[in-house]
Amino acid sequence: MASAMVERMCRLARDTVGLHRIEASTLVHNTGSQRVLAKCGFEPIGLAPAYLHIDGAWRDCRLFQRILHDRAPAL
């Protein structure tokens, strides 16, 4: 179910909004979400220290991206 929703958002981002790439982040220990992103073609691009404030503390996150298309921007 989660993978299907991520794929749907990627299609909307590409086909409706016209985005070239999409970025996602997960808490470092959230391996389930990281597996979903990998299954959907996202690649890890780095670590963001103190990226989100959750449950009263700043949390480190892993960053991912997916290139949606390689067309040149419309002018």
Side-chain angles (χ1 to χ4, degrees):
M1 178 79 160
S3 296
M5 293 307 294
V6 171
E7 284 294 343
R8 183 172 183 209
M9 286 306 297
C10 288
R11 279 193 307 276
L12 287 170
R14 182 192 63 218
D15 300 339
T16 303
V17 182
L19 296 180
H20 163 70
R21 66 181 283 278
I22 193 165
E23 185 175 307
S25 66
T26 70
L27 293 173
V28 172
H29 64 275
N30 190 342
T31 56
S33 291
Q34 293 165 17
R35 279 193 303 273
V36 168
L37 292 172
K39 181 178 176 180
C40 293
F42 282 76
E43 297 179 358
I45 57 171
L47 177 72
Y51 191 65
L52 294 173
H53 195 266
I54 300 173
D55 291 333
W58 288 101
R59 310 293 178 171
D60 297 346
C61 288
R62 291 191 65 201
L63 303 177
F64 298 82
Q65 75 171 7
R66 177 174 161 178
I67 304 299
L68 301 173
H69 66 81
D70 59 359
R71 297 183 301 274
L75 296 178

Coordinates of all heavy atoms in Angstrom, one line a residue:
M1 N 0.8 -1.2 0.0 CA 0.0 0.0 0.0 C 0.9 1.3 0.0 O 0.6 2.2 -0.8 CB -0.9 0.0 1.2 CG -1.8 1.2 1.3 SD -3.2 1.1 0.2 CE -4.3 2.2 1.0
A2 N 1.9 1.3 0.9 CA 2.7 2.5 0.9 C 3.5 2.7 -0.4 O 3.6 3.8 -0.9 CB 3.7 2.4 2.1
S3 N 4.0 1.6 -0.9 CA 4.7 1.8 -2.2 C 3.8 2.3 -3.3 O 4.2 3.1 -4.1 CB 5.3 0.4 -2.6 OG 6.3 0.0 -1.7
A4 N 2.6 1.8 -3.3 CA 1.6 2.3 -4.4 C 1.4 3.8 -4.2 O 1.3 4.5 -5.2 CB 0.3 1.5 -4.3
M5 N 1.3 4.3 -3.0 CA 1.0 5.7 -2.7 C 2.2 6.5 -3.1 O 2.1 7.6 -3.7 CB 0.6 5.9 -1.3 CG -0.7 5.3 -0.9 SD -2.1 5.8 -2.0 CE -2.2 7.6 -1.7
V6 N 3.4 6.1 -2.8 CA 4.6 6.8 -3.2 C 4.7 6.9 -4.7 O 5.0 7.9 -5.3 CB 5.9 6.2 -2.6 CG1 7.1 6.8 -3.2 CG2 5.9 6.3 -1.1
E7 N 4.4 5.8 -5.4 CA 4.5 5.8 -6.9 C 3.4 6.7 -7.4 O 3.7 7.5 -8.4 CB 4.2 4.3 -7.4 CG 5.4 3.4 -7.3 CD 6.6 3.8 -8.2 OE1 6.4 4.6 -9.1 OE2 7.7 3.3 -7.9
R8 N 2.3 6.8 -6.8 CA 1.2 7.7 -7.3 C 1.7 9.2 -7.1 O 1.5 10.0 -8.0 CB -0.1 7.4 -6.5 CG -1.2 8.3 -7.0 CD -2.5 7.9 -6.4 NE -3.6 8.7 -6.9 CZ -4.7 9.1 -6.3 NH1 -4.9 8.6 -5.1 NH2 -5.6 9.8 -6.9
M9 N 2.3 9.5 -6.0 CA 2.8 10.8 -5.8 C 3.8 11.2 -6.8 O 3.9 12.3 -7.3 CB 3.3 11.0 -4.3 CG 2.2 11.0 -3.3 SD 0.9 12.3 -3.6 CE 1.9 13.8 -3.5
C10 N 4.7 10.2 -7.1 CA 5.8 10.5 -8.1 C 5.2 10.8 -9.5 O 5.6 11.7 -10.2 CB 6.7 9.3 -8.1 SG 7.8 9.2 -6.7
R11 N 4.2 10.0 -9.8 CA 3.5 10.3 -11.1 C 2.8 11.6 -11.1 O 2.9 12.4 -12.1 CB 2.5 9.2 -11.4 CG 3.1 7.9 -12.0 CD 2.0 6.9 -12.5 NE 0.9 6.7 -11.6 CZ 1.0 5.7 -10.6 NH1 2.0 5.0 -10.5 NH2 -0.1 5.5 -9.9
L12 N 2.1 12.0 -10.1 CA 1.5 13.3 -10.0 C 2.6 14.4 -10.1 O 2.4 15.4 -10.7 CB 0.7 13.4 -8.7 CG -0.6 12.7 -8.7 CD1 -1.2 12.7 -7.3 CD2 -1.6 13.2 -9.7
A13 N 3.6 14.3 -9.3 CA 4.7 15.3 -9.3 C 5.3 15.5 -10.7 O 5.6 16.6 -11.1 CB 5.8 14.9 -8.3
R14 N 5.4 14.4 -11.5 CA 6.0 14.4 -12.8 C 5.0 14.9 -13.8 O 5.2 15.9 -14.6 CB 6.5 13.0 -13.2 CG 7.1 13.0 -14.6 CD 7.4 11.6 -15.1 NE 6.1 10.9 -15.2 CZ 5.9 9.6 -14.9 NH1 6.9 8.9 -14.4 NH2 4.7 9.1 -15.1
D15 N 3.8 14.3 -13.9 CA 2.8 14.5 -14.9 C 1.9 15.7 -14.7 O 1.5 16.4 -15.7 CB 1.9 13.3 -15.1 CG 2.8 12.0 -15.5 OD1 3.9 12.2 -16.0 OD2 2.3 10.9 -15.3
T16 N 1.6 16.0 -13.5 CA 0.7 17.1 -13.2 C 1.5 18.4 -12.8 O 1.2 19.5 -13.4 CB -0.3 16.8 -12.1 OG1 -1.0 15.6 -12.5 CG2 -1.3 17.9 -11.8
V17 N 2.4 18.3 -12.0 CA 3.2 19.4 -11.5 C 4.4 19.7 -12.4 O 4.8 20.9 -12.5 CB 3.6 19.2 -10.0 CG1 4.4 20.4 -9.5 CG2 2.4 18.9 -9.1
G18 N 4.9 18.7 -13.1 CA 6.0 18.9 -14.0 C 7.4 18.9 -13.3 O 8.4 19.4 -13.8
L19 N 7.5 18.3 -12.1 CA 8.8 18.3 -11.4 C 9.8 17.4 -12.1 O 9.4 16.3 -12.6 CB 8.6 17.9 -9.9 CG 7.7 18.8 -9.1 CD1 7.6 18.2 -7.7 CD2 8.3 20.2 -9.0
H20 N 11.0 17.7 -12.0 CA 12.2 16.9 -12.5 C 12.6 15.9 -11.5 O 13.0 14.8 -11.8 CB 13.3 17.9 -12.8 CG 14.6 17.2 -13.0 ND1 14.9 16.3 -14.0 CD2 15.7 17.2 -12.2 CE1 16.1 15.9 -13.9 NE2 16.7 16.4 -12.8
R21 N 12.6 16.2 -10.2 CA 13.0 15.3 -9.1 C 12.1 15.5 -7.9 O 11.5 16.6 -7.8 CB 14.5 15.6 -8.8 CG 14.7 16.9 -8.1 CD 16.2 17.1 -7.8 NE 16.6 16.4 -6.6 CZ 16.5 16.9 -5.4 NH1 15.8 18.0 -5.1 NH2 16.9 16.2 -4.4
I22 N 12.1 14.5 -7.1 CA 11.4 14.6 -5.8 C 12.3 14.1 -4.7 O 13.2 13.2 -4.9 CB 10.1 13.8 -5.9 CG1 9.2 14.1 -4.7 CG2 10.3 12.3 -6.0 CD1 7.7 13.7 -5.0
E23 N 12.2 14.7 -3.5 CA 13.0 14.4 -2.4 C 12.2 13.9 -1.3 O 11.0 14.3 -1.1 CB 13.8 15.7 -2.0 CG 14.8 15.4 -0.9 CD 15.6 16.7 -0.6 OE1 16.2 17.3 -1.5 OE2 15.6 17.1 0.6
A24 N 12.7 13.0 -0.5 CA 12.1 12.4 0.7 C 13.1 12.3 1.8 O 14.3 12.2 1.6 CB 11.4 11.1 0.4
S25 N 12.6 12.3 3.0 CA 13.5 12.0 4.2 C 12.8 11.1 5.1 O 11.6 11.0 5.2 CB 13.8 13.4 4.9 OG 12.7 13.9 5.5
T26 N 13.6 10.3 5.9 CA 13.1 9.5 6.9 C 14.0 9.6 8.2 O 15.2 10.0 8.0 CB 13.2 8.0 6.5 OG1 14.6 7.5 6.5 CG2 12.5 7.7 5.2
L27 N 13.5 9.3 9.3 CA 14.3 9.3 10.5 C 15.4 8.2 10.2 O 15.1 7.2 9.5 CB 13.5 8.9 11.7 CG 12.5 10.0 12.2 CD1 11.7 9.5 13.3 CD2 13.3 11.3 12.6
V28 N 16.6 8.3 10.8 CA 17.7 7.4 10.5 C 17.3 6.0 10.8 O 17.7 5.1 10.0 CB 18.9 7.8 11.3 CG1 20.0 6.8 11.2 CG2 19.4 9.2 10.9
H29 N 16.6 5.7 11.8 CA 16.2 4.3 12.2 C 15.0 3.8 11.5 O 14.6 2.6 11.8 CB 16.1 4.2 13.7 CG 14.9 5.0 14.2 ND1 15.1 6.4 14.5 CD2 13.7 4.7 14.5 CE1 13.9 6.8 14.9 NE2 13.0 5.9 14.9
N30 N 14.3 4.5 10.7 CA 13.1 4.1 10.0 C 13.4 3.3 8.8 O 13.2 3.7 7.7 CB 12.2 5.3 9.7 CG 10.8 4.9 9.3 OD1 10.6 3.8 8.9 ND2 9.9 5.9 9.4
T31 N 13.8 2.0 9.0 CA 14.2 1.2 7.9 C 13.0 0.8 7.0 O 13.2 0.5 5.8 CB 15.0 -0.1 8.4 OG1 14.1 -0.8 9.3 CG2 16.3 0.3 9.0
G32 N 11.8 0.7 7.6 CA 10.6 0.3 6.8 C 10.4 1.4 5.7 O 10.2 1.0 4.6
S33 N 10.4 2.6 6.1 CA 10.2 3.7 5.1 C 11.3 3.8 4.1 O 11.1 4.0 2.9 CB 10.0 5.0 5.8 OG 8.8 5.1 6.5
Q34 N 12.5 3.5 4.5 CA 13.6 3.5 3.6 C 13.5 2.4 2.6 O 13.9 2.6 1.4 CB 14.9 3.4 4.4 CG 15.2 4.6 5.3 CD 16.3 4.4 6.3 OE1 17.0 3.5 6.3 NE2 16.3 5.3 7.3
R35 N 13.0 1.2 3.0 CA 12.8 0.1 2.1 C 11.7 0.5 1.0 O 11.8 0.2 -0.2 CB 12.3 -1.2 2.8 CG 13.5 -1.9 3.4 CD 13.1 -3.3 3.8 NE 12.0 -3.3 4.8 CZ 12.2 -3.2 6.1 NH1 13.4 -3.1 6.6 NH2 11.1 -3.3 6.9
V36 N 10.6 1.2 1.5 CA 9.6 1.6 0.5 C 10.2 2.6 -0.5 O 10.0 2.5 -1.7 CB 8.4 2.3 1.3 CG1 7.5 3.0 0.3 CG2 7.7 1.3 2.1
L37 N 11.0 3.5 0.0 CA 11.6 4.5 -0.9 C 12.5 3.8 -1.9 O 12.5 4.1 -3.1 CB 12.3 5.6 -0.2 CG 11.5 6.5 0.6 CD1 12.3 7.4 1.5 CD2 10.6 7.4 -0.3
A38 N 13.3 2.9 -1.5 CA 14.2 2.1 -2.3 C 13.4 1.3 -3.4 O 13.8 1.3 -4.6 CB 15.1 1.2 -1.5
K39 N 12.4 0.7 -3.0 CA 11.5 -0.1 -3.9 C 10.9 0.8 -5.0 O 10.7 0.4 -6.1 CB 10.4 -0.7 -3.1 CG 9.5 -1.6 -3.9 CD 8.4 -2.3 -3.0 CE 7.4 -3.0 -3.9 NZ 6.4 -3.7 -3.1
C40 N 10.7 2.1 -4.6 CA 10.1 3.0 -5.6 C 11.2 3.8 -6.4 O 10.8 4.8 -7.0 CB 9.2 4.0 -4.8 SG 7.7 3.2 -4.1
G41 N 12.4 3.4 -6.3 CA 13.4 4.0 -7.1 C 14.1 5.2 -6.5 O 14.9 5.9 -7.2
F42 N 13.9 5.5 -5.3 CA 14.7 6.6 -4.6 C 16.1 6.1 -4.2 O 16.3 5.0 -3.9 CB 13.9 7.0 -3.3 CG 12.7 7.9 -3.5 CD1 11.6 7.3 -4.0 CD2 12.8 9.2 -3.3 CE1 10.4 8.1 -4.2 CE2 11.7 10.0 -3.5 CZ 10.5 9.5 -3.9
E43 N 17.0 7.1 -4.3 CA 18.4 6.8 -4.0 C 18.8 7.6 -2.8 O 18.4 8.8 -2.7 CB 19.3 7.1 -5.2 CG 19.0 6.3 -6.4 CD 19.9 6.6 -7.6 OE1 20.7 7.6 -7.5 OE2 19.8 6.0 -8.6
P44 N 19.6 7.1 -1.9 CA 20.1 7.9 -0.8 C 21.0 9.0 -1.3 O 21.9 8.8 -2.2 CB 20.8 6.9 0.1 CG 21.1 5.7 -0.7 CD 20.1 5.7 -1.9
I45 N 20.9 10.2 -0.7 CA 21.7 11.3 -1.1 C 22.5 11.9 0.1 O 23.3 12.9 -0.1 CB 21.0 12.4 -1.9 CG1 19.8 12.9 -1.1 CG2 20.6 11.8 -3.3 CD1 19.1 14.2 -1.8
G46 N 22.2 11.5 1.3 CA 22.9 12.0 2.4 C 22.2 11.9 3.7 O 21.1 11.4 3.9
L47 N 22.8 12.5 4.7 CA 22.3 12.6 6.1 C 22.2 14.1 6.5 O 23.0 14.9 6.2 CB 23.3 11.9 7.1 CG 22.9 12.0 8.5 CD1 21.8 11.1 8.8 CD2 24.1 11.6 9.4
A48 N 21.0 14.4 7.1 CA 20.7 15.8 7.5 C 20.7 15.8 9.0 O 19.7 15.3 9.6 CB 19.4 16.3 6.9
P49 N 21.7 16.2 9.7 CA 21.7 16.3 11.2 C 20.6 17.3 11.6 O 20.5 18.3 11.0 CB 23.1 16.7 11.5 CG 23.9 16.5 10.3 CD 23.0 16.6 9.2
A50 N 20.0 16.9 12.7 CA 19.0 17.8 13.3 C 18.0 18.4 12.3 O 17.7 19.6 12.3 CB 19.7 18.9 14.1
Y51 N 17.5 17.5 11.5 CA 16.6 18.0 10.3 C 15.2 18.3 10.7 O 14.6 19.2 10.2 CB 16.6 16.8 9.3 CG 16.1 17.2 8.0 CD1 16.6 18.2 7.1 CD2 14.9 16.5 7.5 CE1 16.1 18.4 5.9 CE2 14.4 16.8 6.3 CZ 15.0 17.8 5.5 OH 14.4 18.0 4.2
L52 N 14.6 17.4 11.6 CA 13.2 17.6 12.1 C 13.1 17.6 13.6 O 13.8 16.9 14.2 CB 12.3 16.5 11.5 CG 12.1 16.4 10.0 CD1 11.4 15.2 9.6 CD2 11.4 17.7 9.5
H53 N 12.2 18.4 14.1 CA 11.9 18.5 15.5 C 10.7 17.5 15.8 O 9.6 17.9 15.4 CB 11.7 19.9 16.0 CG 11.7 20.0 17.5 ND1 10.7 20.0 18.3 CD2 12.8 20.3 18.3 CE1 11.0 20.1 19.5 NE2 12.3 20.3 19.5
I54 N 11.0 16.4 16.4 CA 10.0 15.4 16.7 C 10.0 14.9 18.1 O 11.1 14.6 18.6 CB 10.1 14.2 15.7 CG1 10.0 14.6 14.3 CG2 9.1 13.1 16.0 CD1 10.3 13.5 13.3
D55 N 8.9 14.9 18.8 CA 8.8 14.4 20.2 C 9.8 15.2 21.1 O 10.5 14.6 21.9 CB 9.1 12.9 20.3 CG 8.0 12.0 19.7 OD1 6.9 12.5 19.7 OD2 8.3 10.9 19.2
G56 N 9.9 16.5 20.9 CA 10.7 17.3 21.8 C 12.2 17.4 21.5 O 12.9 17.9 22.3
A57 N 12.6 16.8 20.4 CA 14.1 16.8 20.1 C 14.3 16.9 18.6 O 13.5 16.5 17.8 CB 14.7 15.5 20.7
W58 N 15.5 17.5 18.3 CA 15.9 17.5 16.9 C 16.4 16.2 16.5 O 17.2 15.6 17.1 CB 16.9 18.6 16.6 CG 16.3 20.0 16.8 CD1 16.4 20.8 17.8 CD2 15.6 20.6 15.8 NE1 15.7 21.9 17.6 CE2 15.2 21.9 16.3 CE3 15.2 20.3 14.5 CZ2 14.4 22.8 15.6 CZ3 14.4 21.2 13.8 CH2 14.0 22.4 14.3
R59 N 15.9 15.6 15.3 CA 16.3 14.3 14.9 C 17.0 14.3 13.6 O 16.7 15.1 12.7 CB 15.0 13.4 14.7 CG 14.0 13.5 15.8 CD 14.6 12.8 17.0 NE 13.6 12.9 18.1 CZ 13.7 12.2 19.2 NH1 14.7 11.4 19.5 NH2 12.7 12.4 20.1
D60 N 18.0 13.4 13.5 CA 18.7 13.3 12.2 C 17.9 12.5 11.2 O 17.1 11.6 11.6 CB 20.0 12.5 12.4 CG 21.0 13.2 13.4 OD1 20.8 14.4 13.6 OD2 21.9 12.5 13.8
C61 N 18.0 12.8 9.9 CA 17.2 12.1 8.9 C 18.1 11.7 7.7 O 19.1 12.4 7.5 CB 16.1 13.0 8.4 SG 14.8 13.3 9.5
R62 N 17.8 10.6 7.1 CA 18.4 10.2 5.8 C 17.6 10.9 4.7 O 16.4 10.9 4.7 CB 18.4 8.7 5.7 CG 19.3 8.0 6.7 CD 19.6 6.6 6.4 NE 20.3 6.5 5.1 CZ 20.3 5.4 4.4 NH1 19.6 4.3 4.8 NH2 20.9 5.3 3.2
L63 N 18.3 11.4 3.7 CA 17.7 12.1 2.6 C 17.8 11.2 1.4 O 18.8 10.5 1.1 CB 18.4 13.4 2.3 CG 18.4 14.4 3.4 CD1 19.2 15.6 3.0 CD2 17.0 14.8 3.9
F64 N 16.7 11.2 0.6 CA 16.6 10.4 -0.7 C 16.1 11.2 -1.8 O 15.4 12.2 -1.5 CB 15.6 9.2 -0.4 CG 16.0 8.3 0.6 CD1 15.8 8.5 2.0 CD2 16.7 7.1 0.3 CE1 16.2 7.7 3.0 CE2 17.1 6.2 1.3 CZ 16.8 6.5 2.6
Q65 N 16.4 10.9 -3.0 CA 15.8 11.6 -4.2 C 15.5 10.6 -5.3 O 16.0 9.5 -5.3 CB 16.7 12.6 -4.7 CG 17.9 12.0 -5.5 CD 18.6 13.1 -6.3 OE1 18.4 14.3 -6.1 NE2 19.6 12.7 -7.1
R66 N 14.5 11.0 -6.1 CA 14.2 10.2 -7.3 C 14.1 11.2 -8.5 O 13.4 12.2 -8.4 CB 12.9 9.5 -7.1 CG 12.5 8.7 -8.4 CD 11.3 7.9 -8.1 NE 10.6 7.5 -9.4 CZ 9.5 6.8 -9.4 NH1 9.0 6.3 -8.3 NH2 8.9 6.5 -10.6
I67 N 14.9 10.9 -9.5 CA 14.8 11.7 -10.7 C 13.6 11.2 -11.5 O 13.4 10.0 -11.8 CB 16.1 11.6 -11.6 CG1 17.3 12.0 -10.8 CG2 15.9 12.4 -12.9 CD1 17.3 13.4 -10.3
L68 N 12.7 12.1 -11.8 CA 11.4 11.8 -12.4 C 11.4 11.7 -13.9 O 10.6 11.0 -14.6 CB 10.3 12.7 -11.9 CG 10.1 12.7 -10.4 CD1 9.1 13.8 -10.0 CD2 9.6 11.4 -9.9
H69 N 12.3 12.6 -14.5 CA 12.4 12.6 -16.0 C 13.7 13.3 -16.4 O 14.3 14.0 -15.5 CB 11.2 13.2 -16.7 CG 11.0 14.7 -16.4 ND1 11.8 15.7 -17.0 CD2 10.2 15.3 -15.5 CE1 11.4 16.8 -16.5 NE2 10.5 16.7 -15.6
D70 N 14.1 13.3 -17.6 CA 15.3 13.9 -18.1 C 15.0 15.0 -19.1 O 16.0 15.4 -19.8 CB 16.3 12.9 -18.5 CG 15.9 12.1 -19.7 OD1 14.7 12.2 -20.1 OD2 16.6 11.2 -20.1
R71 N 13.8 15.4 -19.3 CA 13.5 16.4 -20.3 C 14.0 17.8 -19.8 O 14.1 18.1 -18.7 CB 11.9 16.5 -20.5 CG 11.3 15.2 -21.0 CD 9.8 15.4 -21.2 NE 9.1 15.8 -20.0 CZ 8.6 14.9 -19.1 NH1 8.8 13.6 -19.3 NH2 7.9 15.4 -18.1
A72 N 14.3 18.6 -20.8 CA 14.7 20.0 -20.5 C 13.5 20.8 -20.0 O 12.4 20.5 -20.4 CB 15.3 20.6 -21.8
P73 N 13.7 21.8 -19.2 CA 12.6 22.6 -18.7 C 11.9 23.3 -19.8 O 12.5 23.7 -20.8 CB 13.3 23.6 -17.8 CG 14.7 23.1 -17.5 CD 15.0 22.2 -18.6
A74 N 10.6 23.4 -19.7 CA 9.8 24.2 -20.7 C 10.1 25.7 -20.5 O 10.3 26.2 -19.4 CB 8.3 23.9 -20.5
L75 N 10.2 26.4 -21.6 CA 10.4 27.8 -21.5 C 9.2 28.6 -21.6 O 8.2 28.4 -22.1 CB 11.4 28.3 -22.6 CG 12.8 27.6 -22.6 CD1 13.6 28.0 -23.8 CD2 13.5 28.0 -21.3

